Amino acid sequence: MSTLSEVAARAGVTSATVSNVLRNRGRVGDETRQRVLDAVAALGYRPHLAARALAEGRAPTIALMVSSIANPFYPEFALAVERAARISGRFVIICNTNQDPLAGRAYLEQIAGTLSEGVLVMNANLDFDDLHQTEARGTPVVLCMWERPLDPPGLPCVAVDFRRAGELAARHLLELGHRQIVAIVGSKRAGIHAARYEGFVDALRAAGVKLPRTCVRHAPDTIEGGYAAARELLELHPATTAIFASNDLPALGSIHAAFDLRRDVPADLSVIGITDIQLARQSRPPLTTVQVPTVEAAEMAVSLLRELIERPPHTHQAARRGGRAAHEPPRVRVASEPTLIVRGSTSAPRRVRG
Amino acid sequence: MSTLSEVAARAGVTSATVSNVLRNRGRVGDETRQRVLDAVAALGYRPHLAARALAEGRAPTIALMVSSIANPFYPEFALAVERAARISGRFVIICNTNQDPLAGRAYLEQIAGTLSEGVLVMNANLDFDDLHQTEARGTPVVLCMWERPLDPPGLPCVAVDFRRAGELAARHLLELGHRQIVAIVGSKRAGIHAARYEGFVDALRAAGVKLPRTCVRHAPDTIEGGYAAARELLELHPATTAIFASNDLPALGSIHAAFDLRRDVPADLSVIGITDIQLARQSRPPLTTVQVPTVEAAEMAVSLLRELIERPPHTHQAARRGGRAAHEPPRVRVASEPTLIVRGSTSAPRRVRG
C-alpha cells in the first residue's frame, strides 16, 4: 500500500498539499489538484481515515454504553449502530456497564472525548450527572430509545413511545376477550419499563379491567426472571388467561413456565411481550409482541450524535455557556410508533372460544 | 478532574517527570518520585490512559472480528474478551464482517495498526492472506477458538479440541442406546464445523454405527437452519431417535421442529448440540450439549495478543524477517477440554427403555 509521502513525491508537492486536496481543505490550484489526484490514482493510494484521525489526535470511534451485551437485545441494537456508524467512517467501541453506574463512569472518564468522539447510551444505568459532565467537557452524548417522548431528559435523545407499546399490548389482549390478566414488569417501579406498564394499565382501566397489585410482579429483565415471576403469578391466580410482560425476555420465560406447568400456550394461556427481538420469532410458539423500531432508533441516534460531533466549534462553546446556537440540531427526535405483531402465543381464552 | 500539569506544578517538576513516575520509566530520584506521588494523591489525579496513548499516536484498543454479532454466541464471547481486555487497559472495537471477506479486509485496512493495536479473529470468514498481510505490517493477529489443536494455522491462535466435542456428543448418544441417529452440520463440508463432525462420525464408527450420507444435512448455523434440516431429516428417516447438531443454535431449531411435528423431546427424540450458549440452558426442554471453554479461550486469546503487542520491537523485526526471537511467546495455546453437559433434551430411546 502506497503512502501519503509517495503520492506527494510523485505529484511534486508536499504531504500537506496532498492532504489538503484529499480533504477539500486549504487553497490548492486546479493544476496542482489534478496532479495530486493523478498520483493518487496511479499509486492506488487509499487515504487511511483512521490513521489520519489519530495523527490529528482524534480517534474516529463512538462509544456505545449498554448495560449488558449478553442480553440479546443489545447486540441487535449494537449491530444497527455499527452499520450506521460505519457509513460516517466511525467505529463502535462497546462499553458494558453490567448495570453498574461506577463501571459506566469509569468508561466515560477513560474514553469520552479522547478515544471516542461521542457517546451513545442505551439503558446503561448511568448516573445522569456523569453524562452531563461528559457533555459539559465537550463530548456529545445521545440517549437511545428514551421511553417518554413527551417528557424528554436534559440530554439529546431519540425517543420511542413505549407507553403506546404497552397500550397496544393491552388492547390486543382485551380484543381477544381476556379479563384475567397478570403483568410482569422487567424493571423496578420507577425504572425504564414504567412507561410501558403505565400504557398497559391505563388501556385496561379504560376498558373497565382492573389490575390488582397481587397480579403484578417486578422481575429481572431476563428469561429466568420472567419464568420465576410467571410461576408465582400462575400459582397465586390459577384462573389467569393472559400474561403481559414489559419485555420479550420475561415473556419467553413465561412461555417456559407454562410449558413446565403443562399449560398450553396459547390455548390455556396467552403471552405477549414488547420489543420483537430475534428470539421472539424463534420461540415455540412464536411470541406475539409489540415491535419497537430498533434499527430506525439506532440510525437516528447515530445521525444525531454525528451532527453534534461535527457541528462547528463555536456552537460547542455556546452549548457550554448554557446557550443554544441557531443551527444546533433538535435535541429530541421521536422514532416511528410501535406496532403489534401477532404470532402464535396469543389467542382468545378457552371459555370465550367455547 | 485535575491535569498532569497541575500535578507537575504542585510537585515542582516537569510534566515529563510526572509521566515517567506514573509509568515507571526514566530515572527519577526517590525523593522526587515521592513528591510526585504525594501531589497525585493530594489532587486526586487519575492518569488518563486513553488520552496518554492517543498523545503517543496509539489507540489502546483491540479489534474483535466476528462474522455476526447477532448470533448469540458472539456477544457472549465478546463480553469475555471485553472483560479480559479491560484488565490490560484496552478497549474492544467490535467488527462485524457479516461473513463477507471483503468487509473483513476493509476493517483490517482501516484500523489494524492504527486504531487497534492488535486483532482477534473469531470465525469471521476472513481471507488468510489478509491476516498474514496485517501481521507482516506489524500488527499482531490471534485466531480465537481454532478448531484443530493438532493442525495449527500459520498464525498465533488459541485452539479448542472440537473434534473431542463431537466425540463426546456421539458417546453420550451411544451410551443412551441410540442407533438411529441423524446429524446437522452448521457449516459447509470443509468449514469450521468439520472437526466436530469428524469426531462425531469417528466415535460412531468405532461403535459400529454408520451414518449414511442421507442422514447428514449441512445447514446454516442458525435456529432456522437447524429447524429446516431437522424437518427434512425426520421426514426422510421417521425412525430417527436422536439428532446431533454441530452447534447449539441448529440443535435448538431441531427441538422446535420436533415441537411442530408433535414429537416429544426427549421421549420421542433426543437432541444434542455443541458449545453451551446461554440459550441452551434457557430452552424448553433445556439442551444437552458439549460445553466448550468460551470464557477461558477469550482470556487466553487476549493474553496472547497482549504479549504479542507488548513484546520488544526487535522481536517484531525478527518476526517480519521470518525469524522467531528466543523469547517470543508460543503461537498456539490449547484451551481446556470440552465437557458434556447433560440436560433435559436427551434420554434413552423408547424401545430401549422398554
Side-chain angles (χ1 to χ4, degrees), chain B residues 165-191:
Chain B
E167 198 181 305
L168 289 174
R171 285 202 196 151
H172 176 60
L173 295 181
L174 290 168
E175 276 163 20
L176 288 170
H178 292 279
R179 296 294 179 269
Q180 307 290 321
I181 299 170
V182 299
I184 300 171
V185 186
S187 71
K188 287 178 193 147
R189 204 163 296 273

mmCIF file of all heavy atoms in Angstrom, chain B residues 165-191:
data_model
loop_
_atom_site.group_PDB
_atom_site.id
_atom_site.type_symbol
_atom_site.label_atom_id
_atom_site.label_comp_id
_atom_site.label_asym_id
_atom_site.label_seq_id
_atom_site.Cartn_x
_atom_site.Cartn_y
_atom_site.Cartn_z
ATOM 1 N N ALA B 165 -15.128 -32.621 21.153
ATOM 2 C CA ALA B 165 -16.507 -32.248 21.465
ATOM 3 C C ALA B 165 -17.481 -33.143 20.686
ATOM 4 O O ALA B 165 -18.464 -33.650 21.241
ATOM 5 C CB ALA B 165 -16.743 -30.774 21.141
ATOM 6 N N GLY B 166 -17.198 -33.351 19.401
ATOM 7 C CA GLY B 166 -18.059 -34.217 18.581
ATOM 8 C C GLY B 166 -18.063 -35.640 19.108
ATOM 9 O O GLY B 166 -19.104 -36.319 19.167
ATOM 10 N N GLU B 167 -16.873 -36.091 19.522
ATOM 11 C CA GLU B 167 -16.712 -37.447 20.051
ATOM 12 C C GLU B 167 -17.563 -37.621 21.326
ATOM 13 O O GLU B 167 -18.262 -38.624 21.487
ATOM 14 C CB GLU B 167 -15.225 -37.589 20.386
ATOM 15 C CG GLU B 167 -14.696 -38.959 20.556
ATOM 16 C CD GLU B 167 -13.204 -38.866 20.921
ATOM 17 O OE1 GLU B 167 -12.425 -38.226 20.158
ATOM 18 O OE2 GLU B 167 -12.831 -39.405 21.984
ATOM 19 N N LEU B 168 -17.510 -36.627 22.223
ATOM 20 C CA LEU B 168 -18.275 -36.717 23.475
ATOM 21 C C LEU B 168 -19.773 -36.767 23.196
ATOM 22 O O LEU B 168 -20.522 -37.499 23.858
ATOM 23 C CB LEU B 168 -17.959 -35.516 24.372
ATOM 24 C CG LEU B 168 -16.566 -35.494 25.011
ATOM 25 C CD1 LEU B 168 -16.348 -34.177 25.755
ATOM 26 C CD2 LEU B 168 -16.408 -36.682 25.973
ATOM 27 N N ALA B 169 -20.228 -35.994 22.207
ATOM 28 C CA ALA B 169 -21.649 -36.000 21.860
ATOM 29 C C ALA B 169 -22.058 -37.387 21.370
ATOM 30 O O ALA B 169 -23.099 -37.934 21.767
ATOM 31 C CB ALA B 169 -21.934 -34.935 20.797
ATOM 32 N N ALA B 170 -21.236 -37.978 20.511
ATOM 33 C CA ALA B 170 -21.551 -39.305 19.969
ATOM 34 C C ALA B 170 -21.590 -40.342 21.091
ATOM 35 O O ALA B 170 -22.530 -41.146 21.177
ATOM 36 C CB ALA B 170 -20.498 -39.695 18.930
ATOM 37 N N ARG B 171 -20.596 -40.301 21.959
ATOM 38 C CA ARG B 171 -20.559 -41.302 23.041
ATOM 39 C C ARG B 171 -21.783 -41.205 23.939
ATOM 40 O O ARG B 171 -22.315 -42.220 24.386
ATOM 41 C CB ARG B 171 -19.298 -41.095 23.889
ATOM 42 C CG ARG B 171 -18.074 -41.590 23.171
ATOM 43 C CD ARG B 171 -16.963 -41.888 24.156
ATOM 44 N NE ARG B 171 -15.701 -41.993 23.453
ATOM 45 C CZ ARG B 171 -14.534 -41.699 23.978
ATOM 46 N NH1 ARG B 171 -14.462 -41.306 25.249
ATOM 47 N NH2 ARG B 171 -13.436 -41.840 23.284
ATOM 48 N N HIS B 172 -22.225 -39.979 24.201
ATOM 49 C CA HIS B 172 -23.413 -39.803 25.047
ATOM 50 C C HIS B 172 -24.631 -40.455 24.391
ATOM 51 O O HIS B 172 -25.369 -41.227 25.042
ATOM 52 C CB HIS B 172 -23.660 -38.309 25.287
ATOM 53 C CG HIS B 172 -24.909 -38.012 26.053
ATOM 54 N ND1 HIS B 172 -25.138 -38.475 27.331
ATOM 55 C CD2 HIS B 172 -26.022 -37.295 25.728
ATOM 56 C CE1 HIS B 172 -26.326 -38.066 27.758
ATOM 57 N NE2 HIS B 172 -26.877 -37.353 26.797
ATOM 58 N N LEU B 173 -24.833 -40.208 23.113
ATOM 59 C CA LEU B 173 -25.995 -40.804 22.433
ATOM 60 C C LEU B 173 -25.868 -42.327 22.391
ATOM 61 O O LEU B 173 -26.855 -43.049 22.596
ATOM 62 C CB LEU B 173 -26.127 -40.234 21.011
ATOM 63 C CG LEU B 173 -26.436 -38.728 20.916
ATOM 64 C CD1 LEU B 173 -26.558 -38.299 19.452
ATOM 65 C CD2 LEU B 173 -27.714 -38.365 21.682
ATOM 66 N N LEU B 174 -24.662 -42.821 22.139
ATOM 67 C CA LEU B 174 -24.458 -44.271 22.073
ATOM 68 C C LEU B 174 -24.732 -44.911 23.428
ATOM 69 O O LEU B 174 -25.399 -45.959 23.515
ATOM 70 C CB LEU B 174 -23.027 -44.584 21.630
ATOM 71 C CG LEU B 174 -22.694 -44.245 20.167
ATOM 72 C CD1 LEU B 174 -21.185 -44.310 19.935
ATOM 73 C CD2 LEU B 174 -23.427 -45.205 19.214
ATOM 74 N N GLU B 175 -24.238 -44.285 24.476
ATOM 75 C CA GLU B 175 -24.440 -44.857 25.819
ATOM 76 C C GLU B 175 -25.910 -44.906 26.207
ATOM 77 O O GLU B 175 -26.343 -45.799 26.940
ATOM 78 C CB GLU B 175 -23.661 -44.037 26.864
ATOM 79 C CG GLU B 175 -22.204 -44.490 26.953
ATOM 80 C CD GLU B 175 -21.316 -43.459 27.639
ATOM 81 O OE1 GLU B 175 -21.854 -42.594 28.368
ATOM 82 O OE2 GLU B 175 -20.084 -43.519 27.427
ATOM 83 N N LEU B 176 -26.682 -43.937 25.707
ATOM 84 C CA LEU B 176 -28.120 -43.954 25.995
ATOM 85 C C LEU B 176 -28.833 -45.048 25.207
ATOM 86 O O LEU B 176 -29.982 -45.380 25.489
ATOM 87 C CB LEU B 176 -28.743 -42.590 25.660
ATOM 88 C CG LEU B 176 -28.415 -41.430 26.604
ATOM 89 C CD1 LEU B 176 -28.889 -40.108 26.011
ATOM 90 C CD2 LEU B 176 -29.050 -41.648 27.977
ATOM 91 N N GLY B 177 -28.156 -45.595 24.184
ATOM 92 C CA GLY B 177 -28.754 -46.668 23.403
ATOM 93 C C GLY B 177 -29.228 -46.255 22.016
ATOM 94 O O GLY B 177 -29.877 -47.041 21.312
ATOM 95 N N HIS B 178 -28.914 -45.042 21.600
ATOM 96 C CA HIS B 178 -29.361 -44.590 20.274
ATOM 97 C C HIS B 178 -28.538 -45.240 19.171
ATOM 98 O O HIS B 178 -27.315 -45.374 19.283
ATOM 99 C CB HIS B 178 -29.255 -43.063 20.166
ATOM 100 C CG HIS B 178 -30.224 -42.350 21.058
ATOM 101 N ND1 HIS B 178 -31.544 -42.157 20.714
ATOM 102 C CD2 HIS B 178 -30.081 -41.808 22.288
ATOM 103 C CE1 HIS B 178 -32.167 -41.522 21.703
ATOM 104 N NE2 HIS B 178 -31.297 -41.300 22.673
ATOM 105 N N ARG B 179 -29.230 -45.639 18.092
ATOM 106 C CA ARG B 179 -28.546 -46.170 16.914
ATOM 107 C C ARG B 179 -29.080 -45.474 15.647
ATOM 108 O O ARG B 179 -28.418 -45.417 14.649
ATOM 109 C CB ARG B 179 -28.737 -47.691 16.797
ATOM 110 C CG ARG B 179 -28.114 -48.497 17.954
ATOM 111 C CD ARG B 179 -26.591 -48.395 17.980
ATOM 112 N NE ARG B 179 -26.004 -49.133 19.100
ATOM 113 C CZ ARG B 179 -25.765 -48.589 20.312
ATOM 114 N NH1 ARG B 179 -26.082 -47.325 20.567
ATOM 115 N NH2 ARG B 179 -25.207 -49.316 21.259
ATOM 116 N N GLN B 180 -30.318 -44.990 15.715
ATOM 117 C CA GLN B 180 -30.933 -44.297 14.569
ATOM 118 C C GLN B 180 -30.671 -42.805 14.745
ATOM 119 O O GLN B 180 -31.484 -42.075 15.290
ATOM 120 C CB GLN B 180 -32.438 -44.569 14.519
ATOM 121 C CG GLN B 180 -32.826 -46.032 14.546
ATOM 122 C CD GLN B 180 -32.440 -46.734 13.255
ATOM 123 O OE1 GLN B 180 -32.566 -46.174 12.172
ATOM 124 N NE2 GLN B 180 -31.960 -47.959 13.386
ATOM 125 N N ILE B 181 -29.519 -42.395 14.265
ATOM 126 C CA ILE B 181 -29.046 -41.037 14.545
ATOM 127 C C ILE B 181 -28.903 -40.270 13.235
ATOM 128 O O ILE B 181 -28.487 -40.824 12.219
ATOM 129 C CB ILE B 181 -27.675 -41.101 15.272
ATOM 130 C CG1 ILE B 181 -27.833 -41.851 16.611
ATOM 131 C CG2 ILE B 181 -27.105 -39.712 15.491
ATOM 132 C CD1 ILE B 181 -26.534 -42.187 17.310
ATOM 133 N N VAL B 182 -29.287 -38.982 13.276
ATOM 134 C CA VAL B 182 -29.019 -38.109 12.126
ATOM 135 C C VAL B 182 -28.170 -36.931 12.620
ATOM 136 O O VAL B 182 -28.118 -36.650 13.820
ATOM 137 C CB VAL B 182 -30.316 -37.596 11.457
ATOM 138 C CG1 VAL B 182 -31.147 -38.759 10.922
ATOM 139 C CG2 VAL B 182 -31.135 -36.747 12.432
ATOM 140 N N ALA B 183 -27.519 -36.244 11.662
ATOM 141 C CA ALA B 183 -26.602 -35.162 12.040
ATOM 142 C C ALA B 183 -26.851 -33.910 11.211
ATOM 143 O O ALA B 183 -27.107 -33.989 10.008
ATOM 144 C CB ALA B 183 -25.155 -35.622 11.870
ATOM 145 N N ILE B 184 -26.787 -32.765 11.889
ATOM 146 C CA ILE B 184 -26.895 -31.468 11.208
ATOM 147 C C ILE B 184 -25.586 -30.739 11.420
ATOM 148 O O ILE B 184 -25.171 -30.504 12.561
ATOM 149 C CB ILE B 184 -28.066 -30.645 11.769
ATOM 150 C CG1 ILE B 184 -29.370 -31.406 11.568
ATOM 151 C CG2 ILE B 184 -28.120 -29.271 11.122
ATOM 152 C CD1 ILE B 184 -30.563 -30.767 12.280
ATOM 153 N N VAL B 185 -24.918 -30.397 10.332
ATOM 154 C CA VAL B 185 -23.608 -29.759 10.419
ATOM 155 C C VAL B 185 -23.763 -28.302 10.002
ATOM 156 O O VAL B 185 -24.170 -28.002 8.888
ATOM 157 C CB VAL B 185 -22.574 -30.488 9.527
ATOM 158 C CG1 VAL B 185 -21.185 -29.899 9.760
ATOM 159 C CG2 VAL B 185 -22.589 -31.973 9.824
ATOM 160 N N GLY B 186 -23.444 -27.419 10.956
ATOM 161 C CA GLY B 186 -23.707 -25.991 10.765
ATOM 162 C C GLY B 186 -22.665 -25.251 9.956
ATOM 163 O O GLY B 186 -22.370 -24.100 10.242
ATOM 164 N N SER B 187 -22.101 -25.881 8.969
ATOM 165 C CA SER B 187 -21.196 -25.172 8.060
ATOM 166 C C SER B 187 -21.018 -26.044 6.841
ATOM 167 O O SER B 187 -21.501 -27.164 6.790
ATOM 168 C CB SER B 187 -19.832 -24.914 8.709
ATOM 169 O OG SER B 187 -19.099 -26.115 8.840
ATOM 170 N N LYS B 188 -20.301 -25.533 5.858
ATOM 171 C CA LYS B 188 -20.042 -26.341 4.664
ATOM 172 C C LYS B 188 -19.118 -27.485 5.015
ATOM 173 O O LYS B 188 -18.516 -27.527 6.080
ATOM 174 C CB LYS B 188 -19.443 -25.467 3.569
ATOM 175 C CG LYS B 188 -20.486 -24.541 2.968
ATOM 176 C CD LYS B 188 -19.870 -23.647 1.917
ATOM 177 C CE LYS B 188 -20.862 -22.529 1.578
ATOM 178 N NZ LYS B 188 -20.170 -21.292 1.237
ATOM 179 N N ARG B 189 -18.991 -28.425 4.064
ATOM 180 C CA ARG B 189 -18.278 -29.667 4.333
ATOM 181 C C ARG B 189 -16.881 -29.431 4.902
ATOM 182 O O ARG B 189 -16.483 -30.072 5.873
ATOM 183 C CB ARG B 189 -18.210 -30.492 3.036
ATOM 184 C CG ARG B 189 -18.024 -31.979 3.237
ATOM 185 C CD ARG B 189 -18.381 -32.745 1.961
ATOM 186 N NE ARG B 189 -19.788 -32.596 1.627
ATOM 187 C CZ ARG B 189 -20.764 -33.390 2.106
ATOM 188 N NH1 ARG B 189 -20.466 -34.360 2.936
ATOM 189 N NH2 ARG B 189 -22.015 -33.200 1.754
ATOM 190 N N ALA B 190 -16.131 -28.480 4.324
ATOM 191 C CA ALA B 190 -14.766 -28.257 4.795
ATOM 192 C C ALA B 190 -14.717 -27.086 5.779
ATOM 193 O O ALA B 190 -13.667 -26.580 6.100
ATOM 194 C CB ALA B 190 -13.851 -27.979 3.606
ATOM 195 N N GLY B 191 -15.867 -26.666 6.252
ATOM 196 C CA GLY B 191 -15.954 -25.445 7.064
ATOM 197 C C GLY B 191 -15.535 -25.640 8.508
ATOM 198 O O GLY B 191 -14.963 -26.677 8.883
#
